[in-house]
């Protein structure tokens, strides 16, 4: 059934038990993003130490896809360098914009590969990318070098 | 109602069922559905389409498509210019459509202005008022400035909100609004404080596209007239679904869109009381809307042409005329009754599900719904509206999800978004049954239904 291909158990688990949810101090950059077609929103903060992203905290309201995506983002990004985070983001965006044709690399995306099914639903791709848009903007507002590079997530 | 069949017109627009249907007869939905080819398609793994999104856009019957095609194949020309035969026929078809539409909403033919959609109709009035503000004193009744007020409501679609908000920002006028009660009605308790001598215009919706609420037009119009304010009615959700007569309602302006009433997209209607259209400055200027043009000065054509600059959308107008004839042949009262039954069944069926809350007027003490149309919005506790709609979509059921271009309303109600089912003449009770079963399935899938332990989660982050 198509529904299960979108709502993988991994996604539903993250939705039910989100990782790293809640806004925390200290932080170096913050971004508020909203999906104007549905009103879903997220506020996301990054805390950076040197090149390393030491925390990503977030809060917001949205569907299972947008909330699970933010939880997976937290797993994939915290503890890694900005450069690694950008590479991960690019891989995730490529997956989401691939209309189901991109084979995800589990080495890079870990639980993020579960979103491959979402990529077949254009109306939901924005949900999955909402948190990543916020990460990119939050890193930019933190003045992190390299944050402005990478693919366009809009 | 004109039934003329000038060249370029559609000829017969007899729907599948209704040619012989007497007044007050229940609709023969199965027969009229045969006019809507799209309703026979399947979606998402061969599921029959259950189309419950007519509030966003309606489907078009063959008769409307045929009318457009026939016009384009036999009479297409630029209207109101040229003296060749095609130009004459095209102009006749365009003006016949205007006459049919005017009669449908109880107004004079010269009071119907074609616009590209209802949004443009609202903007036409808003920008005419802007233009009046920089014109001479003879435009005073349309001018806005510091100390003047525009009154709207919190349940407006963005199309009847943003133009007024922007107009107020441009002119220094103040925007004020009616709130909404917890049960989804307009809160008119402070009408005397809101509509005052300072009020220049009151713009409000006839029927909320989210709540389904039908507003008391006459009460608001009466108050507006007392203080000399103009009124503009957003009739996008009312004209397609029931009998509406703008003269009887007494509004000064009204807008509605073609694509929500079986007609083409790219065409909408602005109704303006004749005397106002004659006095109001134009919005768009250029060809067609002029009387006399010199290098230094231009005078304008009388309405409605004054407000239809450029070559208009012609086949779309013809298509909308055919849509009106189709609706007439079935009977708008019959359609209203049919939709009332569907609405009552949907509100009752959804309300009976644990954790489902109707956002808008529900079932009243007498077991029926009152003063509400067929836009039925709801939330499901623990399942985000997007996820509800995804489950429904997997079952072939097309609903709208989000804030439905009424973000301030959702904010006022404390909910980020809703699921909305909306009905039209081609929907049937089995569609309502499918909707109710689909919502139950969404609860089961996301594990918020007590009769299922294997579901997905409690949806804690959901709205």
């Amino acid at each position: 059934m198509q529904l299960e291909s979108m709502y993988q158990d991994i996604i539903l688990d993250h939705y039910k038990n989100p990782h790293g949810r809640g806004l925390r101090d200290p932080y170096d950059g913050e971004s508020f993003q909203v999906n104007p077609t549905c009103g879903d929103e997220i506020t996301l903060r990054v805390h950076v130490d040197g090149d390393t992203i030491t925390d990503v905290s977030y809060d917001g309201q949205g569907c299972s896809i947008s909330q699970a995506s933010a939880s997976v983002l937290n797993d994939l990004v915290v503890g890694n360098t900005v450069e690694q985070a950008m590479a991960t983001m690019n891989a995730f965006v490529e997956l989401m914009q691939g209309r189901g044709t991109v084979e995800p690399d589990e080495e890079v995306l870990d639980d993020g590969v579960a979103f491959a099914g979402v990529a077949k639903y254009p109306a939901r791709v924005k949900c999955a990318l909402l948190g990543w848009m916020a990460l990119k903007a939050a890193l930019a507002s933190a003045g992190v070098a390299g944050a402005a590079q990478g693919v366009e997530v809009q | 109602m004109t039934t003329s069949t000038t060249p370029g017109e559609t000829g017969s627009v007899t729907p599948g069922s209704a040619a012989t249907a007497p007044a007050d007869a229940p609709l023969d939905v199965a027969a009229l559905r045969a006019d809507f080819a799209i309703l026979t398609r399947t979606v998402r793994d061969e599921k029959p389409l259950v189309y419950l999104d007519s509030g966003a856009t309606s489907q078009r019957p063959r008769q409307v498509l045929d009318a457009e095609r026939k016009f384009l194949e036999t009479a297409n020309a630029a209207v109101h210019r040229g003296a060749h035969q095609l130009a004459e026929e095209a102009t006749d078809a365009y003006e016949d459509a205007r006459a049919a539409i005017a009669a449908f909403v109880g107004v004079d033919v010269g009071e119907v202005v074609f616009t590209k959609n209802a949004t443009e109709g609202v903007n036409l009035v808003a920008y005419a008022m802007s233009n009046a503000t920089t014109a001479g004193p003879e435009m005073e009744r349309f001018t806005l400035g510091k100390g003047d007020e525009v009154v709207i409501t919190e349940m407006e679609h963005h199309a009847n909100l943003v133009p007024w908000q922007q107009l107020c920002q441009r002119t220094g006028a103040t925007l004020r609004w009616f709130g909404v009660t917890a049960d989804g009605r307009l809160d008119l308790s402070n009408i005397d404080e809101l509509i005052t001598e300072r009020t220049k215009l009151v713009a409000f919706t006839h029927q909320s596209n989210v709540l389904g609420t039908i507003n008391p037009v006459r009460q608001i119009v009466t108050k507006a007239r007392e203080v000399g304010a103009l009124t503009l009615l957003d009739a996008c959700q009312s004209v397609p679904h029931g009998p509406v007569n703008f003269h009887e309602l007494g509004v000064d302006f009204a807008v509605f869109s073609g694509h929500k009433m079986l007609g083409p997209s790219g065409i909408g209607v602005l109704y303006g009381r004749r005397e106002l259209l004659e006095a109001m400055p134009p919005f768009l200027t250029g060809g067609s809307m002029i009387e006399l043009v010199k290098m230094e000065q231009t005078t304008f054509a009388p309405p409605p042409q004054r407000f239809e600059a450029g070559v208009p959308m012609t086949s779309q107008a013809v298509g909308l005329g055919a849509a009106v004839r189709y609706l007439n042949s079935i009977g708008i009262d019959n359609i209203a009754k049919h939709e009332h039954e569907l609405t009552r069944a949907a509100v009752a069926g959804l309300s009976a599900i644990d954790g489902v809350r109707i956002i808008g007027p529900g079932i009243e003490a007498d077991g029926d719904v009152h003063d509400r149309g067929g836009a039925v919005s709801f939330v499901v506790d623990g399942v985000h509206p997007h996820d509800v709609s995804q489950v429904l979509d997997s079952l072939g059921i097309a609903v709208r999800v989000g804030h439905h271009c009424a973000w301030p309303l959702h904010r006022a109600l404390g909910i980020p978004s809703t699921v909305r089912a909306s009905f039209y003449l081609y929907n049937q009770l089995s569609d309502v049954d499918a909707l109710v079963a689909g919502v139950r399935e969404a609860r089961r899938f996301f594990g918020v239904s007590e009769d299922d332990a294997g579901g997905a989660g409690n949806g804690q982050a959901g709205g």
Side-chain angles (χ1 to χ4, degrees), chain A residues 1-4 6-7 12 15-16 18 21 34-40 60-65 67 121 123-124 127, chain B residues 44-45 382-384 386-387 390-391 393-395 401-403 407 416-417 441 445-446 456-463:
Chain A
M1 188 186 179
Q2 289 189 342
L3 211 52
E4 273 82 16
M6 171 183 288
Y7 293 112
L12 296 169
Y15 179 44
K16 189 176 174 184
R21 191 180 168 88
V34 61
N35 182 344
T37 58
C38 65
D40 285 1
Q61 62 192 11
C63 62
S64 59
I65 304 298
Q67 300 302 302
Y121 293 84
R124 302 306 293 276
C127 310
Chain B
R44 304 287 186 213
D45 290 341
V383 189
H384 190 276
H386 254 193
D387 295 321
Q390 199 76 52
V391 173
D393 175 60
S394 77
L395 299 167
V401 62
H403 48 60
W407 211 337
S417 60
E441 169 60 16
F445 186 84
F446 282 92
N458 64 4
Q460 67 170 81

Side-chain angles (χ1 to χ4, degrees), chain B residues 356-367:
Chain B
V356 173
R357 189 155 46 98
I358 300 290
I359 305 301
I363 298 288
E364 314 269 349
D366 63 355

